[in-house]
Short mmCIF file of all heavy atoms in Angstrom, two decimals:
data_model
loop_
_atom_site.label_atom_id
_atom_site.label_comp_id
_atom_site.label_asym_id
_atom_site.label_seq_id
_atom_site.Cartn_x
_atom_site.Cartn_y
_atom_site.Cartn_z
N PHE A 279 -15.02 -21.34 8.89
CA PHE A 279 -13.92 -21.80 8.22
C PHE A 279 -12.73 -20.80 8.13
O PHE A 279 -12.96 -19.65 8.07
CB PHE A 279 -14.20 -22.32 6.86
CG PHE A 279 -15.38 -23.55 6.83
CD1 PHE A 279 -16.56 -23.08 6.68
CD2 PHE A 279 -14.97 -24.80 6.88
CE1 PHE A 279 -17.54 -24.17 6.69
CE2 PHE A 279 -15.84 -25.83 7.00
CZ PHE A 279 -17.15 -25.58 6.81
N TYR A 280 -11.48 -21.28 8.27
CA TYR A 280 -10.34 -20.40 8.22
C TYR A 280 -9.47 -20.68 7.14
O TYR A 280 -8.18 -20.59 7.31
CB TYR A 280 -9.55 -20.67 9.71
CG TYR A 280 -10.46 -20.45 10.84
CD1 TYR A 280 -11.26 -21.51 11.42
CD2 TYR A 280 -10.43 -19.10 11.38
CE1 TYR A 280 -11.95 -21.15 12.51
CE2 TYR A 280 -11.37 -18.98 12.56
CZ TYR A 280 -12.04 -19.94 13.11
OH TYR A 280 -12.73 -19.77 14.24
N ASP A 281 -9.90 -20.88 6.01
CA ASP A 281 -9.21 -21.24 4.83
C ASP A 281 -9.29 -20.11 3.82
O ASP A 281 -9.16 -20.50 2.50
CB ASP A 281 -9.70 -22.65 4.11
CG ASP A 281 -11.13 -22.49 3.91
OD1 ASP A 281 -11.74 -21.57 4.18
OD2 ASP A 281 -11.64 -23.54 3.38
N VAL A 282 -9.44 -18.87 4.16
CA VAL A 282 -9.61 -17.76 3.28
C VAL A 282 -8.29 -17.16 2.79
O VAL A 282 -7.47 -16.80 3.61
CB VAL A 282 -10.52 -16.65 4.04
CG1 VAL A 282 -10.77 -15.62 2.84
CG2 VAL A 282 -11.78 -17.27 4.39
N PRO A 283 -8.09 -17.10 1.52
CA PRO A 283 -6.87 -16.57 1.04
C PRO A 283 -6.87 -14.93 1.48
O PRO A 283 -7.79 -14.40 1.25
CB PRO A 283 -6.96 -16.64 -0.45
CG PRO A 283 -7.91 -17.74 -0.72
CD PRO A 283 -8.83 -17.74 0.37
N VAL A 284 -5.60 -14.58 1.78
CA VAL A 284 -5.54 -13.26 2.38
C VAL A 284 -4.26 -12.46 1.61
O VAL A 284 -3.48 -12.94 1.08
CB VAL A 284 -5.21 -13.23 3.88
CG1 VAL A 284 -6.36 -13.75 4.63
CG2 VAL A 284 -4.00 -13.80 4.12
N MET A 285 -4.42 -11.17 1.66
CA MET A 285 -3.48 -10.21 1.25
C MET A 285 -2.30 -10.17 2.01
O MET A 285 -2.43 -10.12 3.30
CB MET A 285 -4.06 -8.82 1.04
CG MET A 285 -3.02 -7.86 0.34
SD MET A 285 -2.89 -8.17 -1.35
CE MET A 285 -4.43 -7.37 -2.07
N LYS A 286 -1.06 -10.26 1.56
CA LYS A 286 0.13 -10.08 2.26
C LYS A 286 0.41 -8.46 2.54
O LYS A 286 0.14 -7.76 1.62
CB LYS A 286 1.29 -10.83 1.66
CG LYS A 286 1.10 -12.32 1.53
CD LYS A 286 0.95 -12.99 2.74
CE LYS A 286 0.83 -14.46 2.56
NZ LYS A 286 0.48 -15.16 3.82
N SER A 287 1.08 -8.16 3.67
CA SER A 287 1.41 -6.86 3.80
C SER A 287 2.21 -6.07 2.80
O SER A 287 1.90 -5.13 2.31
CB SER A 287 2.08 -6.65 5.30
OG SER A 287 3.26 -7.36 5.31
N ALA A 288 3.25 -6.91 2.30
CA ALA A 288 4.17 -6.53 1.28
C ALA A 288 3.43 -6.21 -0.05
O ALA A 288 4.10 -5.54 -0.96
CB ALA A 288 5.25 -7.31 1.19
N ASP A 289 2.44 -6.91 -0.29
CA ASP A 289 1.57 -6.64 -1.58
C ASP A 289 0.73 -5.50 -1.66
O ASP A 289 0.17 -5.19 -2.68
CB ASP A 289 0.80 -8.02 -1.91
CG ASP A 289 1.86 -9.30 -2.03
OD1 ASP A 289 2.98 -8.89 -2.45
OD2 ASP A 289 1.36 -10.31 -1.69
N LEU A 290 0.44 -4.87 -0.41
CA LEU A 290 -0.52 -3.83 -0.45
C LEU A 290 -0.09 -2.63 -1.28
O LEU A 290 -1.02 -1.98 -1.95
CB LEU A 290 -0.82 -3.45 1.00
CG LEU A 290 -1.67 -4.42 1.83
CD1 LEU A 290 -1.61 -4.21 3.27
CD2 LEU A 290 -3.18 -4.48 1.23
N PRO A 291 1.10 -2.13 -1.15
CA PRO A 291 1.46 -0.95 -1.85
C PRO A 291 1.20 -1.13 -3.46
O PRO A 291 0.71 -0.08 -4.06
CB PRO A 291 2.97 -0.69 -1.64
CG PRO A 291 3.00 -1.25 -0.23
CD PRO A 291 2.23 -2.43 -0.27
N GLU A 292 1.58 -2.22 -3.98
CA GLU A 292 1.41 -2.40 -5.47
C GLU A 292 -0.14 -2.50 -5.74
O GLU A 292 -0.68 -1.97 -6.70
CB GLU A 292 2.03 -3.62 -5.91
CG GLU A 292 1.94 -4.01 -7.27
CD GLU A 292 2.47 -2.89 -8.39
OE1 GLU A 292 3.33 -2.09 -7.85
OE2 GLU A 292 2.06 -2.88 -9.38
N PHE A 293 -0.82 -3.26 -4.87
CA PHE A 293 -2.28 -3.45 -5.19
C PHE A 293 -3.02 -2.23 -5.05
O PHE A 293 -3.99 -1.93 -5.90
CB PHE A 293 -2.90 -4.37 -4.07
CG PHE A 293 -4.18 -4.78 -4.35
CD1 PHE A 293 -4.49 -5.93 -5.23
CD2 PHE A 293 -5.27 -4.26 -3.68
CE1 PHE A 293 -5.79 -6.33 -5.37
CE2 PHE A 293 -6.67 -4.51 -3.99
CZ PHE A 293 -6.87 -5.72 -4.78
N TYR A 294 -2.73 -1.27 -4.14
CA TYR A 294 -3.42 0.13 -4.11
C TYR A 294 -2.64 1.24 -4.67
O TYR A 294 -2.74 2.36 -4.29
CB TYR A 294 -3.85 0.31 -2.67
CG TYR A 294 -4.95 -0.60 -2.16
CD1 TYR A 294 -4.77 -1.54 -1.21
CD2 TYR A 294 -6.27 -0.41 -2.65
CE1 TYR A 294 -5.82 -2.33 -0.78
CE2 TYR A 294 -7.38 -1.15 -2.24
CZ TYR A 294 -7.18 -2.18 -1.25
OH TYR A 294 -8.04 -2.98 -0.94
N LYS A 295 -1.70 0.99 -5.55
CA LYS A 295 -0.77 2.01 -6.13
C LYS A 295 -1.48 3.14 -6.70
O LYS A 295 -1.11 4.19 -6.70
CB LYS A 295 0.20 1.43 -6.97
CG LYS A 295 -0.40 0.84 -8.35
CD LYS A 295 0.65 0.36 -9.42
CE LYS A 295 -0.01 -0.12 -10.67
NZ LYS A 295 1.08 -0.62 -11.56
N ASP A 296 -2.73 2.93 -7.25
CA ASP A 296 -3.37 3.90 -7.99
C ASP A 296 -4.21 4.86 -6.96
O ASP A 296 -4.79 5.86 -7.37
CB ASP A 296 -4.43 3.45 -9.03
CG ASP A 296 -3.81 2.68 -10.16
OD1 ASP A 296 -2.60 3.20 -10.47
OD2 ASP A 296 -4.21 1.88 -10.73
N PHE A 297 -4.04 4.58 -5.78
CA PHE A 297 -4.72 5.37 -4.72
C PHE A 297 -3.74 5.94 -3.74
O PHE A 297 -3.87 5.82 -2.43
CB PHE A 297 -5.88 4.40 -4.00
CG PHE A 297 -6.75 3.83 -5.04
CD1 PHE A 297 -6.54 2.56 -5.53
CD2 PHE A 297 -7.83 4.64 -5.60
CE1 PHE A 297 -7.33 2.02 -6.40
CE2 PHE A 297 -8.62 4.11 -6.62
CZ PHE A 297 -8.37 2.78 -7.04
N GLY A 298 -2.78 6.58 -4.13
CA GLY A 298 -1.72 7.17 -3.27
C GLY A 298 -0.39 6.96 -3.62
O GLY A 298 0.51 7.92 -4.06
N PRO A 299 0.17 5.65 -3.62
CA PRO A 299 1.52 5.38 -3.83
C PRO A 299 2.10 5.85 -5.24
O PRO A 299 3.28 6.44 -5.26
CB PRO A 299 1.67 3.89 -3.81
CG PRO A 299 0.58 3.51 -2.85
CD PRO A 299 -0.52 4.53 -3.06
N ALA A 300 1.23 5.77 -6.35
CA ALA A 300 1.72 6.22 -7.61
C ALA A 300 1.70 7.68 -7.69
O ALA A 300 2.39 8.27 -8.63
CB ALA A 300 0.74 5.55 -8.68
N GLN A 301 0.95 8.38 -6.86
CA GLN A 301 0.89 9.94 -7.04
C GLN A 301 1.81 10.51 -5.92
O GLN A 301 1.94 11.72 -5.78
CB GLN A 301 -0.54 10.26 -6.68
CG GLN A 301 -1.51 9.88 -7.80
CD GLN A 301 -2.03 8.43 -7.50
OE1 GLN A 301 -2.17 7.93 -6.43
NE2 GLN A 301 -2.22 7.81 -8.66
N ALA A 302 2.58 9.77 -5.13
CA ALA A 302 3.41 10.20 -4.02
C ALA A 302 4.47 11.03 -4.43
O ALA A 302 5.17 10.76 -5.52
CB ALA A 302 3.99 9.07 -3.24
N ALA A 303 4.76 12.12 -3.72
CA ALA A 303 5.97 13.05 -4.01
C ALA A 303 7.18 12.30 -3.37
O ALA A 303 8.36 12.55 -3.77
CB ALA A 303 5.71 14.33 -3.36
N ASP A 304 6.99 11.62 -2.30
CA ASP A 304 8.03 10.87 -1.69
C ASP A 304 7.39 9.65 -0.90
O ASP A 304 6.34 9.72 -0.48
CB ASP A 304 8.91 11.69 -0.70
CG ASP A 304 10.27 11.20 -0.38
OD1 ASP A 304 10.58 10.02 -0.85
OD2 ASP A 304 11.10 11.89 0.26
N SER A 305 8.22 8.59 -0.69
CA SER A 305 7.59 7.41 0.08
C SER A 305 8.66 6.66 0.83
O SER A 305 9.93 6.87 0.58
CB SER A 305 6.94 6.54 -0.98
OG SER A 305 7.72 6.03 -1.91
N PHE A 306 8.23 5.85 1.65
CA PHE A 306 9.05 5.00 2.50
C PHE A 306 8.48 3.63 2.74
O PHE A 306 7.25 3.54 2.99
CB PHE A 306 9.19 5.64 3.81
CG PHE A 306 10.17 4.84 4.85
CD1 PHE A 306 11.46 5.03 4.89
CD2 PHE A 306 9.41 4.05 5.77
CE1 PHE A 306 12.28 4.34 5.85
CE2 PHE A 306 10.22 3.26 6.66
CZ PHE A 306 11.56 3.42 6.67
N ILE A 307 9.18 2.62 2.45
CA ILE A 307 8.68 1.22 2.49
C ILE A 307 9.12 0.70 3.97
O ILE A 307 10.26 0.81 4.38
CB ILE A 307 9.31 0.30 1.51
CG1 ILE A 307 8.87 0.78 0.14
CG2 ILE A 307 8.80 -1.16 1.71
CD1 ILE A 307 7.33 0.72 -0.12
N THR A 308 8.09 0.24 4.77
CA THR A 308 8.31 -0.09 6.15
C THR A 308 9.03 -1.55 6.19
O THR A 308 9.05 -2.23 5.21
CB THR A 308 7.08 -0.28 6.94
OG1 THR A 308 6.38 -1.23 6.45
CG2 THR A 308 6.26 1.14 6.76
N ASP A 309 9.31 -2.03 7.29
CA ASP A 309 9.95 -3.34 7.58
C ASP A 309 9.04 -4.39 7.00
O ASP A 309 9.47 -5.54 6.80
CB ASP A 309 10.32 -3.46 9.03
CG ASP A 309 11.55 -2.57 9.37
OD1 ASP A 309 12.12 -2.02 8.48
OD2 ASP A 309 11.84 -2.60 10.51
N ILE A 310 7.72 -4.27 7.12
CA ILE A 310 6.67 -5.31 6.77
C ILE A 310 6.23 -5.02 5.24
O ILE A 310 5.37 -5.69 4.88
CB ILE A 310 5.52 -5.43 7.68
CG1 ILE A 310 4.80 -4.14 7.76
CG2 ILE A 310 6.10 -5.82 9.06
CD1 ILE A 310 3.46 -4.22 8.44
N GLY A 311 6.95 -4.13 4.56
CA GLY A 311 6.59 -3.93 3.14
C GLY A 311 5.37 -2.97 2.91
O GLY A 311 5.12 -2.79 1.72
N THR A 312 4.78 -2.44 3.92
CA THR A 312 3.86 -1.48 3.52
C THR A 312 4.52 -0.05 3.29
O THR A 312 5.55 0.14 3.49
CB THR A 312 2.85 -1.26 4.85
OG1 THR A 312 3.64 -1.04 6.08
CG2 THR A 312 2.03 -2.61 5.12
N ILE A 313 3.61 0.87 2.95
CA ILE A 313 4.17 2.18 2.51
C ILE A 313 3.53 3.35 3.28
O ILE A 313 2.42 3.50 3.72
CB ILE A 313 3.83 2.35 1.07
CG1 ILE A 313 4.63 3.49 0.37
CG2 ILE A 313 2.32 2.40 0.76
CD1 ILE A 313 4.57 3.59 -1.07
N CYS A 314 4.57 4.36 3.47
CA CYS A 314 4.31 5.67 4.06
C CYS A 314 4.54 6.55 2.82
O CYS A 314 5.58 6.37 2.10
CB CYS A 314 5.16 6.06 5.20
SG CYS A 314 4.91 5.11 6.66
N TYR A 315 3.86 7.63 2.62
CA TYR A 315 4.11 8.46 1.47
C TYR A 315 3.47 9.88 1.70
O TYR A 315 2.63 10.05 2.62
CB TYR A 315 3.51 7.98 0.23
CG TYR A 315 1.97 7.87 0.20
CD1 TYR A 315 1.26 8.82 -0.42
CD2 TYR A 315 1.40 6.64 0.64
CE1 TYR A 315 -0.24 8.61 -0.48
CE2 TYR A 315 0.00 6.52 0.66
CZ TYR A 315 -0.83 7.52 0.11
OH TYR A 315 -2.08 7.44 0.03
N THR A 316 4.11 10.85 0.98
CA THR A 316 3.48 12.24 0.96
C THR A 316 2.95 12.48 -0.32
O THR A 316 3.45 12.23 -1.42
CB THR A 316 4.77 13.17 1.29
OG1 THR A 316 5.47 12.82 2.45
CG2 THR A 316 4.11 14.65 1.33
N VAL A 317 1.76 13.11 -0.28
CA VAL A 317 1.03 13.53 -1.44
C VAL A 317 0.89 15.10 -1.40
O VAL A 317 0.45 15.67 -0.38
CB VAL A 317 -0.30 12.74 -1.68
CG1 VAL A 317 -1.19 13.19 -0.50
CG2 VAL A 317 -0.91 13.27 -2.94
N ASN A 318 1.19 15.81 -2.54
CA ASN A 318 1.13 17.22 -2.57
C ASN A 318 -0.29 17.55 -3.21
O ASN A 318 -0.28 17.36 -4.47
CB ASN A 318 2.28 17.86 -3.33
CG ASN A 318 3.59 17.56 -2.69
OD1 ASN A 318 3.72 17.38 -1.49
ND2 ASN A 318 4.59 17.74 -3.43
N LEU A 319 -1.24 18.02 -2.56
CA LEU A 319 -2.50 18.33 -3.11
C LEU A 319 -2.40 19.75 -3.98
O LEU A 319 -3.20 19.91 -4.84
CB LEU A 319 -3.54 18.42 -2.01
CG LEU A 319 -3.78 17.14 -1.24
CD1 LEU A 319 -4.84 17.40 -0.25
CD2 LEU A 319 -4.18 15.94 -2.23
N SER A 320 -1.60 20.53 -3.38
CA SER A 320 -1.24 21.74 -4.24
C SER A 320 -0.01 22.31 -3.63
O SER A 320 0.87 21.61 -2.92
CB SER A 320 -2.41 22.80 -3.74
OG SER A 320 -2.13 23.30 -2.42
N ASP A 321 0.52 23.48 -4.10
CA ASP A 321 1.71 24.01 -3.63
C ASP A 321 1.83 24.29 -2.14
O ASP A 321 2.90 24.28 -1.47
CB ASP A 321 2.06 25.23 -4.44
CG ASP A 321 2.29 25.11 -5.91
OD1 ASP A 321 2.71 23.96 -6.28
OD2 ASP A 321 2.27 26.14 -6.66
#
């Protein structure tokens, strides 16, 4: 069956915000709503 609800690409950054996006030093939202980001683990 092909009736399974799926995640939209633009919803992924908010859904997984606690695993990178919220800790980002800087970020970029792509044309499809996904996110690139930089995380500083140390100086």
Side-chain angles (χ1 to χ4, degrees):
F279 298 93
Y280 301 88
D281 57 355
V282 181
V284 296
M285 182 76 72
K286 302 297 183 184
S287 59
D289 295 333
L290 287 165
E292 177 64 22
F293 187 83
Y294 286 112
K295 67 178 181 180
D296 293 332
F297 305 98
Q301 295 78 34
D304 199 354
S305 62
F306 176 88
I307 300 298
T308 71
D309 289 353
I310 60 171
T312 53
I313 190 170
C314 301
Y315 63 94
T316 303
V317 60
N318 297 342
L319 297 181
S320 71
D321 291 340

